[in-house]
Amino acid sequence: MRALADFIMRGRMQAIVVVAASAALPMLFWLCAAAGSLVLLRRGLRDALGVLVWAVVPACIWWYFGDPRTLLVLLGSFGLAWLLRDQASWSRVMLCSVGLGLLYAWALGVVFGEPIAALATELQKVLPDMLSDAYQQLSTDEQARLGSLLTPVLTGLLAALLQIATVLSLMLGRYWQAVLYNPGGFGLEFRALRLSSLPAMLLLMGILLGPSLGVQMAMVAPLCSVPLVFAGVALLHGLVKQGRMARFWLVGFYVALVLFMQLVYPLLAVLAVVDSLFDFRGRASRDDDAGPADGEG
């Protein structure tokens, strides 16, 4: 990965080759977004736009053939990278990713509205078997409302996946920047990620109350969970770095995340909310040898 990052930063032509090729190839939209983010973070918006235009063309072609992921993640990661470069705040990046997720949800509804609705219809047919007695105890109106929530929830879940892919692409670009210009800087930044109490509570309310505020608001719940989950992961990494948890638990966490996603994911969100109130890591240390990940002071 370091060799690839070094190649990207050798010059404008090398960066164009990487972003254009990865945008044109299937399933490499994350690499395109990460490479573009690296250029923007290090060289600024003006140089990045000269690279971005070469990735937008194949991304638009993918959209024409029914796959908007490349263009959405590319533009989303550029927007978040610009925010990170300007304000150097991962918490603000995470919060802004929710708005980005809403745009993703709208785009997915436009492009994949019919397939998502068809999938929701099929899921509604198997709900009685999935929920068994619990479903039968619901009233007719409650069953109808549950069925009406499926389409927006599925749209929100798909948008949340793109939201996560966007944030991870930006993190990869920031990691490359730190590796090249300030080793250790990205780890310092990420472990300091913590949401303050008010935004964390608002996100929690979006998760818990979103579906009750309206059918379309149900798509907000998955989007609000993403910043909390990343903050929860940062909390665990911070505790391990401070020596308050053994590294073994971090390895076990990632294994559990893969095997028991449906249990670990909400637990991370809860940990982030609790940390926003009690700040388990304490105030971020300013005397670490590694400075900001951009390596510029």
Side-chain angles (χ1 to χ4, degrees), residues 26 78 115 154 159 173 183 202 221 230 256:
F78 260 63
L154 287 174
L202 291 176
F230 276 105

Side-chain angles (χ1 to χ4, degrees), residues 30-286:
W30 56 272
L31 179 59
C32 172
S37 298
L38 171 61
V39 176
L40 194 155
L41 288 168
R42 184 61 184 177
R43 295 180 177 170
L45 183 61
R46 183 175 181 179
D47 286 350
L49 288 176
V51 175
L52 173 66
V53 65
W54 294 94
V56 167
V57 173
C60 289
I61 294 175
W62 278 113
W63 188 307
Y64 177 79
F65 286 105
D67 187 355
R69 293 175 300 174
T70 302
L71 186 61
L72 292 177
V73 173
L74 175 64
L75 296 180
S77 64
F78 260 63
L80 294 183
W82 177 83
L83 177 65
L84 181 61
R85 176 182 170 86
D86 182 62
Q87 302 190 12
S89 173
W90 276 105
S91 60
R92 292 182 182 180
V93 167
M94 294 299 170
L95 294 176
C96 288
S97 73
V98 177
L100 199 61
L102 290 173
L103 292 177
Y104 290 168
W106 170 80
L108 290 173
V110 172
V111 178
F112 298 119
E114 293 183 3
I116 292 175
L119 178 59
T121 301
E122 295 301 319
L123 285 176
Q124 189 170 5
K125 294 178 182 179
V126 301
L127 277 180
D129 295 331
M130 293 174 59
L131 302 179
S132 62
D133 294 339
Y135 185 83
Q136 301 302 328
Q137 293 175 1
L138 298 176
S139 66
T140 303
D141 291 341
E142 290 172 335
Q143 292 178 0
R145 177 171 175 76
L146 180 61
S148 67
L149 292 175
L150 289 177
T151 297
V153 168
L154 287 174
T155 303
L157 287 173
L158 293 174
L161 290 175
L162 290 181
Q163 182 184 352
I164 292 172
T166 301
V167 174
L168 289 177
S169 297
L170 173 60
M171 285 185 169
L172 179 57
R174 189 65 158 177
Y175 168 76
W176 280 342
Q177 184 185 18
V179 166
L180 292 177
Y181 306 107
N182 187 31
F186 173 74
L188 178 64
E189 280 188 349
F190 180 68
R191 289 190 296 269
L193 169 60
R194 174 179 171 269
L195 300 176
S196 57
S197 57
L198 180 58
M201 289 301 173
L202 291 176
L203 292 173
L204 182 61
M205 291 175 61
I207 296 173
L208 299 179
L209 302 180
S212 64
L213 298 178
V215 173
Q216 293 303 318
M217 288 296 293
M219 71 174 61
V220 174
L223 306 179
C224 290
S225 70
V226 174
L228 292 174
V229 169
F230 276 105
V233 175
L235 169 63
L236 295 179
H237 278 268
L239 293 176
V240 170
K241 182 64 175 181
Q242 291 179 349
R244 299 169 66 180
M245 287 179 59
R247 188 172 296 273
F248 166 80
W249 292 107
L250 195 59
V251 176
F253 154 71
Y254 281 109
V255 173
L257 184 62
V258 173
L259 298 179
F260 308 104
M261 173 76 73
Q262 69 277 14
L263 298 176
V264 177
Y265 191 92
L267 178 60
L268 287 171
V270 172
L271 286 174
V273 172
V274 176
D275 181 56
S276 72
L277 299 174
F278 298 101
D279 191 8
F280 294 122
R281 290 160 291 184
R283 294 187 179 276
S285 175
R286 300 294 183 182

